[in-house]
């Protein structure tokens, strides 16, 4: 990090926070780090500890968040990967982040890659994800804490559920206000894999995204980053017109593009429709059916009562036009149907 500082490289740190003492936080500032993002899985200590496999992890992580938030010159963010295990805790977690002094709350989209393939049944449904995005947008518009999401559909949610001159998510660009931010989001918003960013692995291998570790497009030990970037896959990923399923015709494809890593993980096609989007409900249902046939995933994130509300209303036809209407008309019902959902 010291070398990054001397070379003028903007550096942030993502960590579990267990080692973030006051001294370490101050040292990060001295190394030029201005933002540190700490992962927390639950509002409940026992659930976080169980998932992390270490007793006392929650306490140490929360203390690390407090230390980071209290350090002058350092901004702290709380990151939460939302699954069936903690879906109902999303709103309390946002408020907890505010209480701890975080400037940012980050929702991480679940992507079944690596060891995550062994727990893909913990993924939430498209209807639940849509409900979550609406919640995130509400907190974004309130402005008390910055909200980010790795779900590329978040920009579309800001358009659908936010005011005309409201805040707009611009993916890795953060957020902006008004029509100009919406224009900017068309270019840098949504899935940025191979478009706005790439992953450089410790061995120098270049991949489109950290969630596509096996898709190598270059090697910095043998070529420059610019040379590695100039490849057919990145050209394909940059063209959002060349997609499958509803992603090919979606009115919001310029703002979103669908998560390419989720398409690759679930459908084994980087151009397929994102199974996590409400507009690709048919893709999700096909993934579920195929998994059940293989007896690999029995439920795959299904909450039948919630899904059936949209499925019944749509008569099996999912298009941009009727889904916009369905999402607006039925999400209140979906919210009421989710057990233990905290009302506001």
């Amino acid at each position: 990090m010291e070398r990054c500082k001397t070379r003028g490289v903007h550096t942030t740190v993502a960590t579990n926070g267990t080692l973030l003492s006051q001294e370490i936080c101050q040292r990060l500032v001295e190394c030029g780090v201005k933002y540190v993002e700490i992962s927390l899985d639950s509002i409940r200590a026992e659930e976080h500890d169980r998932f992390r496999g270490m007793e006392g992890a929650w306490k140490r992580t929360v203390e690390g968040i407090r230390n980071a938030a209290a350090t002058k010159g350092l901004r702290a963010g709380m990151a939460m990967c939302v699954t069936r295990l903690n879906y109902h805790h999303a709103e309390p977690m946002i408020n907890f982040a505010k209480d701890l002094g975080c400037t940012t709350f980050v929702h991480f989209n679940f992507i079944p890659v690596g060891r995550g393939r062994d727990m893909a049944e913990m993924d939430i449904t498209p209807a639940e994800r849509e409900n979550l995005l609406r919640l995130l947008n509400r907190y974004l518009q309130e402005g008390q804490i910055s909200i980010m999401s790795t779900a590329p559909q978040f920009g579309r949610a800001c358009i659908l559920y936010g005011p005309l001159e409201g805040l707009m998510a611009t993916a890795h660009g953060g957020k902006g206000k008004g029509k100009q931010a919406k224009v900017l989001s068309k270019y840098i918003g949504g899935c940025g894999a191979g478009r706005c960013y790439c992953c450089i692995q410790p061995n120098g291998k270049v991949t489109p995204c950290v969630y596509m570790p096996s898709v190598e497009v270059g090697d910095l030990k043998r070529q420059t980053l610019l040379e590695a970037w100039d490849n057919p896959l990145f050209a394909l990923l940059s063209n959002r017109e060349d997609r499958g399923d509803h992603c090919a015709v979606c009115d919001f494809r310029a703002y979103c593009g669908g998560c390419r890593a989720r398409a690759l993980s679930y459908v084994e096609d980087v151009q397929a429709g994102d199974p996590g989007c409400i507009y690709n409900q048919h893709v999700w249902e096909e993934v579920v059916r195929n998994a059940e046939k293989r007896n690999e995933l029995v439920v795959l994130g299904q909450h039948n009562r919630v899904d059936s509300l949209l499925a019944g209303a749509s008569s099996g036809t999912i298009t941009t036009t009727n889904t916009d209407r369905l999402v607006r008309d039925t999400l209140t019902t979906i919210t009421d149907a989710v057990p233990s959902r905290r009302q506001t």
Side-chain angles (χ1 to χ4, degrees):
M1 287 186 288
E2 288 178 332
R3 292 183 65 184
C4 288
K5 180 181 179 181
T6 60
R7 292 174 177 267
V9 177
H10 177 75
T11 308
T12 61
V13 173
T15 172
N16 61 27
T18 56
L19 299 179
L20 283 179
S21 64
Q22 294 178 357
E23 293 75 20
I24 291 294
C25 288
Q26 185 57 47
R27 185 76 181 101
L28 289 173
V29 174
E30 294 170 359
C31 290
V33 177
K34 293 180 172 59
Y35 175 74
V36 59
E37 192 170 277
I38 304 105
S39 298
L40 194 68
D41 301 307
S42 177
I43 194 75
R44 299 172 181 169
E46 64 276 13
E47 293 183 3
H48 176 90
D49 290 355
R50 187 184 310 117
F51 184 76
R52 294 282 164 166
M54 184 175 74
E55 187 176 351
W58 187 92
K59 182 179 180 180
R60 292 175 61 183
T61 294
V62 170
E63 184 63 27
I65 295 174
R66 288 196 175 100
N67 289 335
T71 301
K72 186 177 181 180
L74 191 64
R75 295 181 293 110
M78 179 188 291
M80 176 188 186
C81 181
V82 176
T83 67
R84 292 181 67 194
L85 298 174
N86 57 12
Y87 169 70
H88 300 296
H89 298 164
E91 186 167 9
M93 286 281 282
I94 297 174
N95 289 316
F96 190 39
K98 290 161 57 178
D99 293 341
L100 291 175
C102 293
T103 61
T104 306
F105 177 85
V106 185
H107 155 238
F108 270 82
N109 217 12
F110 176 80
I111 301 174
V113 66
R115 289 189 297 174
R117 289 183 179 274
D118 297 330
M119 57 173 291
E121 72 276 8
M122 289 300 144
D123 199 359
I124 60 177
T125 68
E128 289 169 328
R129 182 170 286 101
E130 191 69 23
N131 193 43
L132 174 62
L133 293 174
R134 188 175 70 160
L135 173 71
L136 295 174
N137 174 70
R138 175 161 63 83
Y139 276 90
L140 175 68
Q141 303 303 333
E142 289 177 357
Q144 295 181 14
I145 186 171
S146 292
I147 301 291
M148 296 183 68
S149 172
T150 64
Q153 295 84 9
F154 189 37
R156 187 257 298 160
C158 292
I159 296 174
L160 280 178
Y161 308 124
L164 184 62
E165 294 296 328
L167 290 170
M168 177 72 187
T170 55
H172 286 77
K175 65 180 186 298
K177 194 170 186 178
K179 294 181 180 179
Q180 289 184 333
K182 287 182 172 64
V183 173
L184 178 63
S185 185
K186 279 188 174 183
Y187 295 94
I188 65 172
C191 179
R195 297 180 64 251
C196 302
Y197 68 83
C198 67
C199 168
I200 302 174
Q201 298 186 14
N203 61 1
K205 303 293 185 181
V206 179
T207 68
C209 171
V210 294
Y211 298 108
M212 298 181 185
S214 62
V215 185
E216 298 178 0
V217 297
D219 185 349
L220 296 192
K221 292 181 179 179
R222 298 188 176 92
Q223 59 190 154
T224 67
L225 179 58
L226 184 59
E227 290 171 338
W229 189 278
D230 187 13
N231 66 80
L233 177 58
F234 280 19
L236 175 66
L237 293 173
S238 296
N239 180 14
R240 287 181 172 170
E241 303 294 323
D242 194 0
R243 295 289 182 268
D245 305 294
H246 194 273
C247 289
V249 297
C250 184
D251 293 340
F252 302 101
R253 61 186 179 276
Y255 300 96
C256 172
C259 177
R260 296 301 94 211
R262 285 180 58 87
L264 184 63
S265 294
Y266 276 125
V267 190
E268 298 182 349
D269 181 358
V270 75
Q271 294 175 266
D274 181 351
C277 180
I278 196 72
Y279 294 171
N280 282 315
Q281 179 75 23
H282 64 292
V283 181
W284 173 256
E285 291 172 353
E286 183 179 354
V287 169
V288 173
R289 284 194 299 269
N290 289 339
E292 289 175 343
K293 288 178 183 178
R294 295 192 302 266
N295 288 324
E296 292 179 359
L297 305 172
V298 178
V299 287
L300 197 60
Q302 291 298 287
H303 292 291
N304 293 329
R305 185 179 171 197
V306 175
D307 271 346
S308 63
L309 293 170
L310 275 178
S314 68
S315 300
T317 304
I318 301 294
T319 66
T320 297
T321 302
N322 75 3
T323 304
D324 287 348
R325 173 182 57 78
L326 292 170
V327 167
R328 290 181 181 277
D329 292 347
T330 64
L331 273 178
T332 299
T333 310
I334 291 173
T335 301
D336 294 339
V338 176
S340 73
R341 164 71 177 160
R342 192 172 124 186
Q343 302 297 319
T344 57

